[in-house]
Amino acid sequence: MSSTTLYGGASGRRVTVRDLAAAKQRGERWPMVTAYDAMTARVFDAAGIPVLLVGDSAAMVVYGYDSTLPVTVDDLLPLTAAVVRGSSRALVVADLPFGSYQTSPGQALESAARFMKEAGAHAVKLEGGRRIAPQVEALVSAGVPVMAHLGLTPQSVNVFGGYRVQGRGAAGDELMADAKDLQRAGAFSVVLECVPADLAERVTASLDIPTIGIGAGPATDAQVLVWQDMMGLTPRPARFVKRYADLGADLDRAARAFADDVVSGSFPGPEHAYT
C-alpha cells in the first residue's frame, strides 16, 4: 500500500471515504486496526494505518467482559474521543454497540450523532443485513458515513450459538443479497467476518464499495485485526489472526525485572534521583 496514494497525495489531512472508494477502483489494498486510546492511535497513525476502528471489542480487551454485548455508548465515547485526539490522518470509525441502533432509524441516528458530536468520530459501524438497511439509509441521509458488518456479527453471537463461520451453502446467497442491500442503502464499506474465502471473493467482486475481511481470506479489499490479537496480548487468538509481535511476553519480562529491581534495591539508582 502506498499511503501517499491513499491519502490522495495531500499532507496534513485525514483519509476520507472517497479515498477508500478510489483505492478500490485502483485495486489497492489497505489495513485497518482497532484502537482504544490516544497513545496506540498515535503509533498506528504514524505507521500509516489509514483507518482506525474503535470497536465494541473494547468490551473484552479494555473492560474485561466475555463478549461485546455489555459495552455501552457511554463506555465507547471517551475511547473514541481519545483515538481521534491521538491521530491526525486516519479515518476513525466508531462501533455502535448492541442495543444502540436496532430499535429504529431514529435510535441509530441519535447514537451516531453522539459519536460524531461528542467524540469527533468520522464514521460509524453497525452489524446486520437488510434488516438494518433503513438505519443505514437514515444515517447516510443525515450525513453520517456508515461501515456495515456481515458474516459473524459478534453482537448476534447468542443467535448463532457461538462464534461460527457464517455464509456456507445457501446462506452465502443470503449474505450476498444483504451486502448488495447495504450498498444500495449507502454504506461506504462492509466488513466480512468469518466467512468462506470464496464467498468473500465473490462479494468483493460484486460490490462497488470496499470489503474489509477478518477471517475472510485474502481477496477482500482490506483487512482488519484487533491490535491486541496481532501483537500477542491475547492468550488464545482465533485461527485467522497472525501475530506480528509478542508484547505479552515482553510486558511479563519487564514487570518481573522491575519487581526484582525494587526488591533488591537496585532501582531507583542515583541516575533516577533528584539532587
Side-chain angles (χ1 to χ4, degrees), residues 158-209:
N158 291 325
V159 174
F160 295 149
Y163 296 95
R164 301 171 181 274
V165 174
Q166 302 296 311
R168 287 185 169 135
D173 295 333
E174 191 76 11
L175 189 145
M176 176 73 78
D178 281 340
K180 291 181 177 179
D181 282 348
L182 291 167
Q183 177 175 263
R184 279 191 291 269
F188 74 87
S189 62
V190 57
V191 173
L192 301 175
E193 180 168 358
C194 286
V195 302
D198 60 335
L199 174 60
E201 184 173 10
R202 288 192 287 116
V203 172
T204 300
S206 299
L207 297 182
D208 296 323
I209 61 175

Short mmCIF file of all heavy atoms in Angstrom, two decimals, residues 158-209:
data_model
loop_
_atom_site.label_atom_id
_atom_site.label_comp_id
_atom_site.label_asym_id
_atom_site.label_seq_id
_atom_site.Cartn_x
_atom_site.Cartn_y
_atom_site.Cartn_z
N ASN A 158 -25.33 -14.99 20.41
CA ASN A 158 -26.27 -15.89 21.06
C ASN A 158 -27.24 -16.51 20.07
O ASN A 158 -27.68 -17.65 20.24
CB ASN A 158 -27.04 -15.15 22.16
CG ASN A 158 -26.14 -14.80 23.34
OD1 ASN A 158 -25.24 -15.55 23.68
ND2 ASN A 158 -26.37 -13.65 23.94
N VAL A 159 -27.58 -15.78 19.01
CA VAL A 159 -28.44 -16.32 17.96
C VAL A 159 -27.69 -17.38 17.17
O VAL A 159 -28.24 -18.43 16.80
CB VAL A 159 -28.95 -15.20 17.03
CG1 VAL A 159 -29.73 -15.77 15.85
CG2 VAL A 159 -29.82 -14.21 17.81
N PHE A 160 -26.40 -17.12 16.90
CA PHE A 160 -25.59 -18.05 16.12
C PHE A 160 -25.23 -19.31 16.90
O PHE A 160 -24.82 -20.32 16.33
CB PHE A 160 -24.30 -17.39 15.65
CG PHE A 160 -24.50 -16.25 14.69
CD1 PHE A 160 -23.62 -15.19 14.67
CD2 PHE A 160 -25.56 -16.25 13.81
CE1 PHE A 160 -23.79 -14.14 13.78
CE2 PHE A 160 -25.75 -15.22 12.91
CZ PHE A 160 -24.86 -14.15 12.89
N GLY A 161 -25.35 -19.25 18.23
CA GLY A 161 -24.97 -20.39 19.05
C GLY A 161 -23.46 -20.50 19.22
O GLY A 161 -22.92 -21.60 19.37
N GLY A 162 -22.78 -19.36 19.20
CA GLY A 162 -21.33 -19.34 19.37
C GLY A 162 -20.64 -18.66 18.19
O GLY A 162 -21.29 -18.18 17.26
N TYR A 163 -19.33 -18.63 18.25
CA TYR A 163 -18.54 -17.96 17.21
C TYR A 163 -18.25 -18.97 16.10
O TYR A 163 -17.30 -19.74 16.17
CB TYR A 163 -17.24 -17.41 17.82
CG TYR A 163 -17.49 -16.33 18.84
CD1 TYR A 163 -17.57 -16.63 20.20
CD2 TYR A 163 -17.68 -15.01 18.44
CE1 TYR A 163 -17.82 -15.63 21.14
CE2 TYR A 163 -17.92 -14.01 19.37
CZ TYR A 163 -17.99 -14.33 20.71
OH TYR A 163 -18.24 -13.34 21.64
N ARG A 164 -19.10 -18.96 15.07
CA ARG A 164 -19.03 -19.94 14.00
C ARG A 164 -18.90 -19.26 12.65
O ARG A 164 -19.38 -18.15 12.45
CB ARG A 164 -20.30 -20.81 14.00
CG ARG A 164 -20.54 -21.58 15.30
CD ARG A 164 -21.92 -22.23 15.29
NE ARG A 164 -22.18 -22.95 16.54
CZ ARG A 164 -21.82 -24.20 16.78
NH1 ARG A 164 -21.18 -24.89 15.84
NH2 ARG A 164 -22.08 -24.78 17.94
N VAL A 165 -18.28 -19.96 11.72
CA VAL A 165 -18.20 -19.47 10.35
C VAL A 165 -19.61 -19.31 9.79
O VAL A 165 -20.47 -20.16 9.99
CB VAL A 165 -17.37 -20.43 9.47
CG1 VAL A 165 -17.40 -19.99 8.01
CG2 VAL A 165 -15.93 -20.50 9.97
N GLN A 166 -19.85 -18.19 9.09
CA GLN A 166 -21.16 -17.90 8.52
C GLN A 166 -21.08 -17.86 6.99
O GLN A 166 -20.02 -17.60 6.42
CB GLN A 166 -21.65 -16.53 9.03
CG GLN A 166 -21.75 -16.43 10.54
CD GLN A 166 -22.76 -17.37 11.13
OE1 GLN A 166 -23.90 -17.44 10.68
NE2 GLN A 166 -22.36 -18.11 12.17
N GLY A 167 -22.21 -18.12 6.32
CA GLY A 167 -22.26 -17.95 4.89
C GLY A 167 -21.97 -19.19 4.07
O GLY A 167 -21.74 -19.10 2.87
N ARG A 168 -21.96 -20.35 4.71
CA ARG A 168 -21.74 -21.58 3.95
C ARG A 168 -23.03 -22.01 3.25
O ARG A 168 -24.13 -21.83 3.77
CB ARG A 168 -21.24 -22.69 4.86
CG ARG A 168 -19.79 -22.50 5.31
CD ARG A 168 -19.30 -23.68 6.13
NE ARG A 168 -17.86 -23.63 6.34
CZ ARG A 168 -17.28 -23.86 7.51
NH1 ARG A 168 -18.01 -24.16 8.57
NH2 ARG A 168 -15.96 -23.79 7.62
N GLY A 169 -22.90 -22.61 2.08
CA GLY A 169 -24.05 -23.13 1.36
C GLY A 169 -25.01 -22.03 0.95
O GLY A 169 -24.60 -20.95 0.50
N ALA A 170 -26.30 -22.30 1.13
CA ALA A 170 -27.33 -21.34 0.72
C ALA A 170 -27.24 -20.04 1.49
O ALA A 170 -27.66 -18.99 1.00
CB ALA A 170 -28.71 -21.97 0.91
N ALA A 171 -26.67 -20.08 2.68
CA ALA A 171 -26.52 -18.86 3.47
C ALA A 171 -25.62 -17.85 2.77
O ALA A 171 -25.69 -16.65 3.04
CB ALA A 171 -25.98 -19.18 4.86
N GLY A 172 -24.76 -18.33 1.88
CA GLY A 172 -23.89 -17.43 1.13
C GLY A 172 -24.68 -16.52 0.21
O GLY A 172 -24.33 -15.34 0.04
N ASP A 173 -25.73 -17.06 -0.42
CA ASP A 173 -26.58 -16.24 -1.28
C ASP A 173 -27.29 -15.16 -0.48
O ASP A 173 -27.46 -14.02 -0.94
CB ASP A 173 -27.60 -17.11 -2.00
CG ASP A 173 -26.96 -18.09 -2.97
OD1 ASP A 173 -25.85 -17.78 -3.47
OD2 ASP A 173 -27.55 -19.16 -3.22
N GLU A 174 -27.69 -15.51 0.73
CA GLU A 174 -28.35 -14.54 1.61
C GLU A 174 -27.37 -13.42 1.98
O GLU A 174 -27.73 -12.24 1.98
CB GLU A 174 -28.84 -15.25 2.88
CG GLU A 174 -29.74 -14.43 3.75
CD GLU A 174 -31.16 -14.30 3.21
OE1 GLU A 174 -31.52 -15.03 2.26
OE2 GLU A 174 -31.91 -13.47 3.74
N LEU A 175 -26.14 -13.80 2.29
CA LEU A 175 -25.14 -12.79 2.65
C LEU A 175 -24.85 -11.87 1.46
O LEU A 175 -24.70 -10.65 1.63
CB LEU A 175 -23.86 -13.46 3.15
CG LEU A 175 -22.82 -12.53 3.75
CD1 LEU A 175 -22.09 -13.22 4.91
CD2 LEU A 175 -21.79 -12.07 2.72
N MET A 176 -24.77 -12.43 0.27
CA MET A 176 -24.55 -11.63 -0.93
C MET A 176 -25.68 -10.62 -1.11
O MET A 176 -25.44 -9.44 -1.40
CB MET A 176 -24.45 -12.53 -2.16
CG MET A 176 -24.33 -11.78 -3.47
SD MET A 176 -22.72 -11.01 -3.74
CE MET A 176 -21.77 -12.46 -4.24
N ALA A 177 -26.92 -11.07 -0.94
CA ALA A 177 -28.07 -10.18 -1.07
C ALA A 177 -28.03 -9.08 0.00
O ALA A 177 -28.33 -7.91 -0.29
CB ALA A 177 -29.37 -10.97 -0.96
N ASP A 178 -27.64 -9.45 1.23
CA ASP A 178 -27.51 -8.45 2.29
C ASP A 178 -26.48 -7.39 1.92
O ASP A 178 -26.69 -6.19 2.12
CB ASP A 178 -27.11 -9.13 3.60
CG ASP A 178 -28.27 -9.81 4.31
OD1 ASP A 178 -29.43 -9.46 4.02
OD2 ASP A 178 -28.01 -10.69 5.15
N ALA A 179 -25.33 -7.83 1.41
CA ALA A 179 -24.27 -6.90 1.05
C ALA A 179 -24.73 -5.90 0.00
O ALA A 179 -24.46 -4.70 0.08
CB ALA A 179 -23.05 -7.67 0.56
N LYS A 180 -25.46 -6.39 -1.00
CA LYS A 180 -25.95 -5.50 -2.06
C LYS A 180 -27.00 -4.54 -1.52
O LYS A 180 -27.04 -3.36 -1.92
CB LYS A 180 -26.50 -6.34 -3.22
CG LYS A 180 -25.41 -7.08 -3.97
CD LYS A 180 -25.97 -7.89 -5.14
CE LYS A 180 -24.86 -8.57 -5.92
NZ LYS A 180 -25.38 -9.38 -7.06
N ASP A 181 -27.84 -5.01 -0.60
CA ASP A 181 -28.84 -4.12 0.00
C ASP A 181 -28.18 -3.02 0.82
O ASP A 181 -28.62 -1.87 0.79
CB ASP A 181 -29.79 -4.92 0.89
CG ASP A 181 -30.84 -5.68 0.10
OD1 ASP A 181 -30.98 -5.40 -1.11
OD2 ASP A 181 -31.53 -6.55 0.68
N LEU A 182 -27.14 -3.37 1.54
CA LEU A 182 -26.43 -2.37 2.35
C LEU A 182 -25.72 -1.36 1.46
O LEU A 182 -25.65 -0.17 1.79
CB LEU A 182 -25.45 -3.07 3.29
CG LEU A 182 -26.12 -3.89 4.40
CD1 LEU A 182 -25.10 -4.80 5.09
CD2 LEU A 182 -26.79 -2.98 5.43
N GLN A 183 -25.17 -1.82 0.36
CA GLN A 183 -24.55 -0.90 -0.60
C GLN A 183 -25.60 0.07 -1.15
O GLN A 183 -25.36 1.28 -1.22
CB GLN A 183 -23.89 -1.67 -1.74
CG GLN A 183 -23.29 -0.77 -2.81
CD GLN A 183 -22.54 -1.56 -3.87
OE1 GLN A 183 -21.33 -1.69 -3.81
NE2 GLN A 183 -23.28 -2.09 -4.84
N ARG A 184 -26.77 -0.45 -1.51
CA ARG A 184 -27.84 0.41 -2.02
C ARG A 184 -28.31 1.40 -0.96
O ARG A 184 -28.70 2.53 -1.28
CB ARG A 184 -29.03 -0.44 -2.49
CG ARG A 184 -28.86 -1.02 -3.88
CD ARG A 184 -30.15 -1.62 -4.40
NE ARG A 184 -30.53 -2.82 -3.67
CZ ARG A 184 -30.17 -4.05 -4.02
NH1 ARG A 184 -29.41 -4.25 -5.09
NH2 ARG A 184 -30.57 -5.10 -3.30
N ALA A 185 -28.26 0.99 0.31
CA ALA A 185 -28.68 1.88 1.39
C ALA A 185 -27.69 3.00 1.64
O ALA A 185 -28.01 3.98 2.32
CB ALA A 185 -28.89 1.08 2.67
N GLY A 186 -26.46 2.85 1.10
CA GLY A 186 -25.49 3.93 1.21
C GLY A 186 -24.25 3.64 2.01
O GLY A 186 -23.41 4.54 2.19
N ALA A 187 -24.07 2.40 2.50
CA ALA A 187 -22.85 2.07 3.24
C ALA A 187 -21.63 2.31 2.36
O ALA A 187 -21.66 2.01 1.16
CB ALA A 187 -22.90 0.62 3.70
N PHE A 188 -20.55 2.84 2.95
CA PHE A 188 -19.35 3.11 2.16
C PHE A 188 -18.39 1.93 2.15
O PHE A 188 -17.42 1.92 1.37
CB PHE A 188 -18.64 4.37 2.66
CG PHE A 188 -17.90 4.22 3.97
CD1 PHE A 188 -16.59 3.77 4.01
CD2 PHE A 188 -18.52 4.55 5.17
CE1 PHE A 188 -15.90 3.64 5.21
CE2 PHE A 188 -17.84 4.42 6.39
CZ PHE A 188 -16.53 3.97 6.40
N SER A 189 -18.64 0.92 2.99
CA SER A 189 -17.80 -0.27 3.04
C SER A 189 -18.54 -1.33 3.85
O SER A 189 -19.52 -1.03 4.52
CB SER A 189 -16.43 0.02 3.67
OG SER A 189 -16.60 0.46 5.02
N VAL A 190 -18.03 -2.57 3.78
CA VAL A 190 -18.67 -3.63 4.55
C VAL A 190 -17.59 -4.59 5.07
O VAL A 190 -16.72 -5.03 4.32
CB VAL A 190 -19.72 -4.39 3.72
CG1 VAL A 190 -19.12 -4.98 2.46
CG2 VAL A 190 -20.39 -5.48 4.55
N VAL A 191 -17.64 -4.86 6.37
CA VAL A 191 -16.77 -5.85 6.99
C VAL A 191 -17.37 -7.23 6.76
O VAL A 191 -18.58 -7.43 6.94
CB VAL A 191 -16.62 -5.58 8.50
CG1 VAL A 191 -15.86 -6.72 9.18
CG2 VAL A 191 -15.92 -4.25 8.75
N LEU A 192 -16.53 -8.19 6.36
CA LEU A 192 -16.94 -9.58 6.21
C LEU A 192 -16.14 -10.40 7.22
O LEU A 192 -14.93 -10.56 7.08
CB LEU A 192 -16.65 -10.07 4.79
CG LEU A 192 -17.35 -9.31 3.65
CD1 LEU A 192 -16.88 -9.83 2.30
CD2 LEU A 192 -18.86 -9.41 3.77
N GLU A 193 -16.82 -10.90 8.23
CA GLU A 193 -16.12 -11.61 9.32
C GLU A 193 -16.46 -13.09 9.30
O GLU A 193 -17.63 -13.48 9.30
CB GLU A 193 -16.49 -11.02 10.68
CG GLU A 193 -15.78 -11.71 11.84
CD GLU A 193 -15.89 -10.99 13.16
OE1 GLU A 193 -16.49 -9.90 13.20
OE2 GLU A 193 -15.36 -11.53 14.15
N CYS A 194 -15.41 -13.92 9.31
CA CYS A 194 -15.53 -15.37 9.41
C CYS A 194 -16.51 -15.93 8.37
O CYS A 194 -17.51 -16.57 8.72
CB CYS A 194 -15.94 -15.78 10.82
SG CYS A 194 -14.61 -15.62 12.02
N VAL A 195 -16.21 -15.66 7.11
CA VAL A 195 -16.99 -16.24 6.01
C VAL A 195 -16.02 -16.99 5.10
O VAL A 195 -14.82 -16.69 5.08
CB VAL A 195 -17.76 -15.17 5.22
CG1 VAL A 195 -18.70 -14.39 6.13
CG2 VAL A 195 -16.82 -14.22 4.50
N PRO A 196 -16.49 -17.99 4.35
CA PRO A 196 -15.60 -18.72 3.45
C PRO A 196 -14.89 -17.77 2.47
O PRO A 196 -15.48 -16.80 1.98
CB PRO A 196 -16.55 -19.67 2.71
CG PRO A 196 -17.70 -19.85 3.65
CD PRO A 196 -17.87 -18.53 4.34
N ALA A 197 -13.64 -18.06 2.18
CA ALA A 197 -12.84 -17.18 1.34
C ALA A 197 -13.43 -17.01 -0.05
O ALA A 197 -13.38 -15.91 -0.62
CB ALA A 197 -11.41 -17.72 1.25
N ASP A 198 -14.01 -18.08 -0.60
CA ASP A 198 -14.57 -17.96 -1.95
C ASP A 198 -15.79 -17.05 -1.96
O ASP A 198 -16.03 -16.30 -2.92
CB ASP A 198 -14.89 -19.33 -2.54
CG ASP A 198 -15.91 -20.11 -1.72
OD1 ASP A 198 -16.04 -19.86 -0.50
OD2 ASP A 198 -16.59 -20.97 -2.30
N LEU A 199 -16.59 -17.09 -0.89
CA LEU A 199 -17.73 -16.19 -0.78
C LEU A 199 -17.28 -14.74 -0.67
O LEU A 199 -17.82 -13.85 -1.33
CB LEU A 199 -18.60 -16.58 0.42
CG LEU A 199 -19.76 -15.63 0.74
CD1 LEU A 199 -20.74 -15.53 -0.43
CD2 LEU A 199 -20.47 -16.06 2.02
N ALA A 200 -16.27 -14.49 0.18
CA ALA A 200 -15.75 -13.13 0.33
C ALA A 200 -15.22 -12.61 -1.00
O ALA A 200 -15.40 -11.43 -1.33
CB ALA A 200 -14.65 -13.11 1.39
N GLU A 201 -14.60 -13.48 -1.78
CA GLU A 201 -14.09 -13.06 -3.08
C GLU A 201 -15.24 -12.68 -4.01
O GLU A 201 -15.16 -11.67 -4.73
CB GLU A 201 -13.26 -14.19 -3.70
CG GLU A 201 -12.61 -13.82 -5.01
CD GLU A 201 -11.65 -14.89 -5.51
OE1 GLU A 201 -11.63 -15.99 -4.93
OE2 GLU A 201 -10.92 -14.60 -6.49
N ARG A 202 -16.32 -13.46 -4.00
CA ARG A 202 -17.47 -13.16 -4.86
C ARG A 202 -18.16 -11.86 -4.43
O ARG A 202 -18.55 -11.04 -5.26
CB ARG A 202 -18.46 -14.32 -4.84
CG ARG A 202 -17.96 -15.55 -5.60
CD ARG A 202 -19.07 -16.56 -5.82
NE ARG A 202 -19.44 -17.26 -4.60
CZ ARG A 202 -20.62 -17.19 -4.01
NH1 ARG A 202 -21.58 -16.43 -4.53
NH2 ARG A 202 -20.87 -17.88 -2.91
N VAL A 203 -18.30 -11.67 -3.13
CA VAL A 203 -18.93 -10.44 -2.63
C VAL A 203 -18.08 -9.24 -3.02
O VAL A 203 -18.59 -8.21 -3.49
CB VAL A 203 -19.12 -10.51 -1.11
CG1 VAL A 203 -19.59 -9.16 -0.57
CG2 VAL A 203 -20.13 -11.60 -0.75
N THR A 204 -16.77 -9.36 -2.85
CA THR A 204 -15.86 -8.26 -3.18
C THR A 204 -15.97 -7.88 -4.65
O THR A 204 -15.99 -6.69 -5.00
CB THR A 204 -14.42 -8.64 -2.82
OG1 THR A 204 -14.34 -8.92 -1.41
CG2 THR A 204 -13.44 -7.54 -3.18
N ALA A 205 -16.04 -8.88 -5.51
CA ALA A 205 -16.14 -8.62 -6.95
C ALA A 205 -17.49 -8.04 -7.33
O ALA A 205 -17.60 -7.34 -8.35
CB ALA A 205 -15.89 -9.90 -7.73
N SER A 206 -18.51 -8.30 -6.53
CA SER A 206 -19.87 -7.86 -6.87
C SER A 206 -20.20 -6.45 -6.37
O SER A 206 -21.18 -5.86 -6.80
CB SER A 206 -20.89 -8.83 -6.28
OG SER A 206 -20.72 -10.13 -6.81
N LEU A 207 -19.40 -5.93 -5.44
CA LEU A 207 -19.69 -4.63 -4.85
C LEU A 207 -18.80 -3.54 -5.41
O LEU A 207 -17.64 -3.78 -5.77
CB LEU A 207 -19.51 -4.69 -3.33
CG LEU A 207 -20.42 -5.62 -2.53
CD1 LEU A 207 -20.11 -5.49 -1.04
CD2 LEU A 207 -21.88 -5.35 -2.80
N ASP A 208 -19.34 -2.32 -5.44
CA ASP A 208 -18.54 -1.15 -5.81
C ASP A 208 -17.83 -0.57 -4.61
O ASP A 208 -16.88 0.20 -4.75
CB ASP A 208 -19.44 -0.09 -6.45
CG ASP A 208 -20.05 -0.55 -7.76
OD1 ASP A 208 -19.36 -1.27 -8.51
OD2 ASP A 208 -21.22 -0.21 -8.02
N ILE A 209 -18.33 -0.89 -3.41
CA ILE A 209 -17.72 -0.38 -2.18
C ILE A 209 -16.69 -1.37 -1.66
O ILE A 209 -16.75 -2.56 -1.96
CB ILE A 209 -18.79 -0.09 -1.10
CG1 ILE A 209 -19.55 -1.38 -0.74
CG2 ILE A 209 -19.74 0.99 -1.57
CD1 ILE A 209 -20.54 -1.21 0.40
#
